[in-house]
Amino acid sequence: MILSVNNIYKSFGEKQVLKGISFSAESGKALGVLGRNGAGKTTLIRIIMQVFAPDSGAVYIDKTPISDTNVSFGYLPEERGLYPKKKISSQLMYFAELKGVPRAKATANIDRLLAKLEISEYKNTRLDSLSKGNQQKVQLIAALISDPDIIVLDEPFSGLDPVNAGILKELVKELISEGKLVLFSSHQMNYIEEFCNDIVILNGGHIVANGTIRDIKHQFARNIMEVSCEDTVAVTDAINNAGMPFVKNLVMQDGCVFVTLDNENRKFDFMEKAAALGVDIDGIRVKEPNLNDIFIHYTEGQI
């Protein structure tokens, strides 16, 4: 299943929010949709989910205009949309019925997901008696209750402790392995890197980066070497005294020496000379930007 977003424009009054947005995503993978607050992510997601129409452009599923007849959605919003005074089981059944899930199937889905997320004991309790993390799990069950084709996760790990985050991570990985198409929006870049091969970064109503994380990383200069070692002072002194004029800067940080070269083509020269320094070095590799660095690079200007 291929989701295609083609040349989407959207304005609210005089404010143009989306300016020619195009990308694609496929089932069995997660796509990270990134951008600063106000960049247009929520507007884009709502157009994909047909909450409202674009001014121009279109969204397709397998080359057919998207509609509720050819695809189903599950949406986990950043802000919770459940009923705090109602029993968990009754409101999950209510959401299932709204989505046309037969009662027997809904009951089975509720029990299965409650067990998977380790909150079966709360099935007949009120939502507001649960912790924030467990309320987030219930919100996720509401999104998945109809076994949707496309799942939109907006800050899914918000409010979760590391144990509960681990439980949720396993479920998300399972959904991807089952062939679901997952759109993942978060400011927690470590989760995006863990789940997503591909990302779209929005800024100023435009897509400023689109592709695999690996390919985007390779667009940045590869002239910083990360030397891991026990004695950073000894390694720094050895590099300084080794007569390597192409070394422009050295920084010691967290058990590593970061070496800036004047040209990325010098990295093999550096590795050869560093291996012959006569000091204890655990490893040498090119320091790639992490996703947080990439996000800042593409979004620190206009939104």
Side-chain angles (χ1 to χ4, degrees), residues 134-174:
N134 283 333
Q135 289 183 33
Q136 181 78 338
K137 291 180 180 181
V138 176
Q139 183 81 66
L140 178 60
I141 293 173
L144 301 179
I145 197 71
S146 63
D147 191 25
D149 303 306
I150 299 176
I151 299 163
V152 181
L153 304 176
D154 192 354
E155 297 294 353
F157 296 96
S158 175
L160 296 183
D161 60 54
V163 173
N164 280 323
I167 294 169
L168 183 53
K169 283 197 290 185
E170 289 306 311
L171 178 56
V172 173
K173 290 176 182 177
E174 184 178 312

Side-chain angles (χ1 to χ4, degrees), residues 239-240 244-250 259-262 266 270:
I239 294 172
N240 280 328
M244 289 187 267
F246 49 82
V247 172
K248 295 304 179 184
N249 187 46
L250 297 170
V259 183
T260 303
L261 310 178
D262 64 358
R266 290 286 198 172
F270 173 76

Side-chain angles (χ1 to χ4, degrees), residues 196-238:
C196 304
N197 290 322
D198 303 289
I199 57 171
V200 171
I201 301 179
L202 278 68
N203 194 24
H206 300 279
I207 290 179
V208 292
N210 182 13
T212 69
I213 294 175
R214 181 171 181 79
D215 286 347
I216 291 171
K217 284 183 175 182
H218 279 235
Q219 294 171 13
F220 288 74
R222 300 171 63 79
N223 66 324
I224 300 178
M225 308 300 294
E226 181 179 330
V227 182
S228 55
C229 54
E230 288 291 331
D231 191 341
T232 56
V233 174
V235 170
T236 298
D237 289 343

Side-chain angles (χ1 to χ4, degrees), residues 82-88 90-91 125-129:
L82 301 177
Y83 300 98
K85 305 297 183 184
K86 298 293 185 180
K87 285 198 310 183
I88 290 166
S90 61
Q91 61 180 304
T125 60
R126 288 186 0 175
L127 184 75
D128 59 5
S129 68

Side-chain angles (χ1 to χ4, degrees), residues 94-106:
Y94 170 70
F95 286 119
E97 290 174 345
L98 285 179
K99 295 180 179 182
V101 182
R103 194 171 186 85
K105 182 178 179 181

Side-chain angles (χ1 to χ4, degrees), residues 97-128:
E97 290 174 345
L98 285 179
K99 295 180 179 182
V101 182
R103 194 171 186 85
K105 182 178 179 181
T107 299
N109 287 348
I110 290 169
D111 289 342
R112 176 177 58 84
L113 290 166
L114 286 170
K116 191 171 290 291
L117 291 172
E118 300 184 6
I119 52 173
S120 296
E121 63 189 285
Y122 303 118
K123 178 178 179 179
N124 294 310
T125 60
R126 288 186 0 175
L127 184 75
D128 59 5

